[in-house]
Amino acid sequence: MHRAMRGLIQEVLTRIEKDGLPGAHHFFITFDTMHPDVEIADWLSDRYPGEMTVVIQHWFDNLNVTDEGFTITLNFGDNPETLYIPYDAIKTFVDPSVEFGLRFETQEDEDAAIVEIEEAPMEEMVEPEETPPEERKEADVVSLDQFRK
């Protein structure tokens, strides 16, 4: 599942590399700046020592998508910077224009990863506050059939 969802990100970025962003689509990508294969300017890693969220929307350049990750040039306050982000470093991938998001969480005790598919605007993807046990409700089960074509 983990590999398949990262493959989906690669497919989406490959289409954008070829055709540009369609319509109102735009992406928020949060990634681990400390991942060993991430390549960003020193001043960015100093400013964002744990994670960073980039937006692919109005201006980007030199998008190059590979099987391991992607390179993109983004503008940071009139400072164009080239970043290399491996898919394994991505924590969230969100397209708010269609209320779609993926969140990748790793478990510190294991090498396994949990992938959550979110159907919520970016504002709703903020980590919820801890609910006391007496106020917790049963989780809803959502069928993925509604997303199939």
Side-chain angles (χ1 to χ4, degrees):
M1 180 75 111
H2 181 84
R3 209 172 312 124
M5 293 299 107
R6 297 209 191 274
L8 174 65
I9 294 171
Q10 178 182 359
E11 183 179 330
V12 167
L13 292 176
T14 299
R15 287 183 189 174
I16 293 166
E17 176 184 28
K18 180 181 174 192
D19 302 325
L21 282 169
H25 289 278
H26 57 287
F27 304 101
F28 293 96
I29 301 172
T30 302
F31 64 97
D32 177 2
T33 58
M34 300 309 289
H35 187 282
D37 296 327
V38 165
E39 296 175 16
I40 60 175
D42 289 340
W43 72 271
L44 286 172
S45 61
D46 290 344
R47 187 167 179 184
Y48 303 98
E51 69 179 35
M52 176 180 185
T53 301
V54 294
V55 180
I56 301 176
Q57 187 172 14
H58 299 293
W59 186 92
F60 63 91
D61 201 14
N62 303 321
L63 178 59
N64 182 26
V65 181
T66 69
D67 288 340
E68 293 79 34
F70 65 98
T71 303
I72 190 167
T73 301
L74 296 172
N75 198 4
F76 296 91
D78 292 329
N79 266 341
E81 291 287 347
T82 300
L83 299 88
Y84 173 73
I85 304 169
Y87 302 119
D88 287 344
I90 295 175
K91 293 183 172 189
T92 63
F93 182 87
V94 178
D95 183 348
S97 69
V98 292
E99 297 183 358
F100 174 79
L102 299 172
R103 180 178 18 212
F104 300 89
E105 296 178 3
T106 57
Q107 296 175 348
E108 293 181 11
D109 299 339
E110 304 173 18
D111 290 333
I114 299 171
V115 178
E116 294 182 20
I117 300 174
E118 298 280 340
E119 184 183 350
M122 187 65 173
E123 301 84 46
E124 292 180 20
M125 291 190 65
V126 175
E127 289 296 320
E129 293 181 17
E130 185 62 32
T131 304
E134 62 275 1
E135 294 180 20
R136 291 186 183 155
K137 298 178 182 175
E138 290 295 317
D140 292 331
V141 177
V142 178
S143 172
L144 295 178
D145 292 338
Q146 63 183 326
F147 300 105
R148 295 187 180 136
K149 292 184 178 186

